[in-house]
Amino acid sequence: MINSNAYRKYLTYLAMLVFLLSLLPILYLAGIDRASGDDWGYGLLTHRAWLETHSLSKVLQAAFLTVRNYYGSWQGTWFSIFLFTFQPEAFSHEMYWIVPYIMLGLIIGSVSCFLYQVTVRFLHMAVRDFLLIDMIVLFLLIQFAPSKKSSVFWYNGTAHYTVPFAISLFALVCFMRFVQTWKPRYVVWAAVWMTFLGGTNYLAAIFGCLGFLFLGICYYKRSRKVLWMGIPLVLEVIGLLISALAPGNARRGGETYEITAGRMLWAVLESFRQGIAGVMTAGREHPLTLAAMIVLAVILWDVFRETAVKENLKFPLPGLVIFYFLGTYCAMYWPGIFAGVEVSGGVPNTIYWVFVLMFLCSILYGAGWLSVRYSSAAGDKKNNRWYLYAVCVMAALFILVMGRSNIKDSTDYYCMEYIMTGQAKDYKEQMEQFTQLLTDDTVKDVVLPSINDWQGPLMHMPVTDNPEAWTNQKVKEFFGKQSVVAVPREEWQENLIKN
């Protein structure tokens, strides 16, 4: 009979194959992806500096000036704004394809580093088992992020949400490496990551802060050296305060914006209510994610039966720890509730990503505790736990039957639908024409053929027939025109024929 190690090996190969194939539709659309909306506004000064000087120092000066302008007029997330200024089309109109590659690389790199640290270095799992867990989790994070635009494709959205999420995980990895080695360089790297994190979106900043507090509490008794990680934490809080107190936040929030203790407490209670409601409805809203977690729970129970007792692992206070993970997830609702404004598409992405990671951490801790408590010291020498993998098959059937409608929510489904209907090809041709018309130095008042604002997983904020519209103004400024308007494509073609 094939033992459970062999089963997991085959599952790992299958998971790796499925994950790699799932990236192909996304990477195909990378060549069609283009800048839009806020990309034009935030990249304006750096674009001008690059065109005029090709000097990196001048570009950096333009970036800092952009941060200062927006800090006082619109928002305080200073490091996010700094990243916004480096949108690829600020340097070349043919460079935007790199955005999906960068963001996929950050998601894969940060999550893999985090899970490797937890599973292999802390829990002493085999690398093969880490890869199996990693492939499943990465598949969920990339495929079922609610906003496809702000997770992978749109630079402005990804720079504000995907990049900070990756930064928070890199910072946590530095903390975990520090408590294993006590090498000062990990404090330095954590300080860099956490400082940047304080100037990004508030969800990622809170996630990083709560992660540091959890690790600090866990390892304080082991050595007082862990207090050195208070330096990165303080730096993040300072950066967060600088961001929160920006004059632009008050202007953006309007007359109802205020920072009071009562409002903060109400937001905390409401975030718990919404977070618990989100957990309760996970089976309906994310059936494939829930089913995948069932599979992971079975796999981890099997793995821990082999390693937990042998490695003398400890899992104290499971109820309290899992409640902390729940609280971390609920805390992701807090910034949006406190601000009281409509949130962007990146917010649901971060909430979902943290949900998956905290769910996984709860399963890891719970399965570990159960294994230590109930496994035999011998660790099941027969090692033929085929029945556990029968549960995996049943869970897979549950995925196919109960979650088939959820497949349409996947990134691959959006991408394939966009490609197969011919819309991707049309958009590529139209955007090449768009750029050609706007980069014609002989024309100052540009008339563009209209482009549909719905572009599947890609972000596109269309130029309209109103020259004073926000997008029109940003495109006009970015390309150095006197005016930019759009007319129906049929009308534009008729005028072209007449002229």
Side-chain angles (χ1 to χ4, degrees):
M1 184 178 291
I2 300 176
N3 62 35
S4 61
N5 284 325
Y7 280 119
R8 294 206 301 275
K9 180 178 70 173
Y10 297 140
L11 282 174
T12 301
Y13 292 151
L14 178 61
M16 292 178 67
L17 178 62
V18 170
F19 175 69
L20 292 175
L21 290 176
S22 73
L23 297 180
L24 296 181
I26 301 172
L27 296 178
Y28 177 85
L29 284 183
I32 300 171
D33 202 12
R34 293 298 300 268
S36 184
D38 290 333
D39 289 328
W40 308 123
Y42 286 102
L44 173 62
L45 297 184
T46 49
H47 178 60
R48 288 179 177 174
W50 180 252
L51 288 179
E52 294 170 1
T53 67
H54 281 73
S55 166
L56 181 59
S57 64
K58 295 295 183 182
V59 170
L60 287 172
Q61 290 177 28
F64 289 130
L65 179 59
T66 303
V67 173
R68 187 184 72 178
N69 292 342
Y70 278 94
Y71 184 83
S73 64
W74 185 244
Q75 68 186 83
T77 50
W78 48 272
F79 186 64
S80 285
I81 299 172
F82 181 77
L83 293 177
F84 295 163
T85 66
F86 293 95
Q87 68 100 344
E89 288 199 20
F91 306 95
S92 171
H93 298 300
E94 299 178 352
M95 282 295 293
Y96 208 81
W97 63 268
I98 201 173
V99 174
Y101 283 88
I102 292 174
M103 299 311 159
L104 286 175
L106 283 173
I107 294 172
I108 294 170
S110 62
V111 172
S112 297
C113 285
F114 176 77
L115 292 180
Y116 181 85
Q117 184 66 37
V118 172
T119 59
V120 177
R121 286 184 167 151
F122 271 64
L123 300 177
H124 306 287
M125 293 183 186
V127 173
R128 178 203 60 228
D129 294 325
F130 147 71
L131 286 173
L132 177 55
I133 297 167
D134 191 39
M135 293 299 99
I136 293 174
V137 171
L138 286 173
F139 182 85
L140 294 176
L141 296 181
I142 294 171
Q143 291 299 321
F144 297 105
S147 173
K148 319 307 178 186
K149 299 176 176 65
S150 295
S151 63
V152 175
F153 292 106
W154 183 37
Y155 179 80
N156 191 268
T158 56
H160 195 39
Y161 292 100
T162 302
V163 174
F165 177 72
I167 288 175
S168 65
L169 293 180
F170 285 136
L172 291 172
V173 169
C174 288
F175 197 127
M176 289 185 281
R177 289 297 292 148
F178 179 66
V179 299
Q180 286 184 317
T181 64
W182 304 118
K183 293 182 179 179
R185 68 170 179 263
Y186 293 112
V187 178
V188 176
W189 276 110
V192 172
W193 293 126
M194 292 293 276
T195 300
F196 291 155
L197 194 60
T200 62
N201 77 79
Y202 302 123
L203 284 78
I206 291 173
F207 177 56
C209 181
L210 292 176
F212 264 55
L213 288 175
F214 175 75
L215 292 172
I217 294 169
C218 289
Y219 289 96
Y220 178 74
K221 288 186 177 181
R222 178 177 173 181
S223 174
R224 298 298 186 271
K225 292 180 181 179
V226 79
L227 293 176
W228 282 104
M229 278 297 171
I231 296 174
L233 185 59
V234 169
L235 289 173
E236 191 221 25
V237 171
I238 292 172
L240 193 57
L241 287 174
I242 292 173
S243 177
L245 297 175
N249 289 342
R251 294 183 182 181
R252 186 176 184 177
E255 297 179 356
T256 61
Y257 180 82
E258 59 177 350
I259 299 177
T260 64
R263 185 182 179 91
M264 288 183 178
L265 178 60
W266 168 79
V268 168
L269 297 175
E270 181 63 16
S271 66
F272 265 97
R273 187 192 70 79
Q274 292 191 19
I276 292 172
V279 172
M280 298 299 292
T281 59
R284 184 179 71 251
E285 297 178 356
H286 304 288
L288 292 175
T289 300
L290 182 61
M293 288 298 171
I294 294 172
V295 173
L296 281 174
V298 173
I299 293 171
L300 288 170
W301 169 254
D302 191 17
V303 172
F304 275 125
R305 281 168 64 89
E306 299 173 1
T307 62
V309 175
K310 182 175 67 175
E311 299 293 343
N312 195 29
L313 299 176
K314 305 294 183 183
F315 299 91
L317 304 174
L320 185 60
V321 171
I322 292 174
F323 179 77
Y324 190 93
F325 294 152
L326 172 64
T328 300
Y329 161 67
C330 292
M332 297 302 98
Y333 291 87
W334 186 86
I337 295 170
F338 176 78
V341 296
E342 183 179 355
V343 298
S344 62
V347 171
N349 285 352
T350 304
I351 291 174
Y352 173 73
W353 289 338
V354 172
F355 168 76
V356 171
L357 287 185
M358 292 300 98
F359 202 157
L360 175 64
C361 288
S362 299
I363 292 173
L364 279 168
Y365 207 91
W369 178 80
L370 288 171
S371 297
V372 171
R373 186 176 178 88
Y374 296 110
S375 291
S376 65
D380 191 359
K381 293 182 180 179
K382 290 184 179 181
N383 203 24
N384 288 319
R385 295 182 290 278
W386 60 268
Y387 56 88
L388 291 175
Y389 293 91
V391 175
C392 286
V393 173
M394 293 175 64
L397 292 175
F398 173 82
I399 292 174
L400 294 174
V401 175
M402 300 301 294
R404 58 185 182 275
S405 61
N406 195 216
I407 294 174
K408 294 184 177 180
D409 296 329
S410 68
T411 302
D412 276 356
Y413 188 91
Y414 272 69
C415 292
M416 291 303 297
E417 182 182 41
Y418 187 55
I419 295 168
M420 298 303 291
T421 57
Q423 291 173 292
K425 180 181 178 182
D426 289 345
Y427 181 67
K428 181 180 181 180
E429 294 173 353
Q430 290 170 12
M431 288 305 293
E432 288 175 350
Q433 183 184 56
F434 176 92
T435 303
Q436 183 181 7
L437 292 170
L438 286 167
T439 53
D440 185 348
D441 294 333
T442 64
V443 179
K444 294 301 180 182
D445 295 295
V446 182
V447 179
L448 300 169
S450 61
I451 298 175
N452 182 8
D453 63 337
W454 188 89
Q455 295 299 334
L458 306 184
M459 172 62 80
H460 181 69
M461 297 182 185
V463 174
T464 70
D465 58 0
N466 178 10
E468 300 302 319
W470 184 86
T471 301
N472 295 51
Q473 289 293 308
K474 295 306 175 185
V475 172
K476 178 193 76 173
E477 294 169 359
F478 191 88
F479 287 94
K481 302 301 181 181
Q482 292 180 357
S483 67
V484 175
V485 295
V487 298
R489 185 163 292 272
E490 296 79 7
E491 179 181 336
W492 182 86
Q493 290 174 337
E494 290 176 0
N495 292 335
L496 183 64
I497 293 172
K498 290 179 182 178
N499 296 328

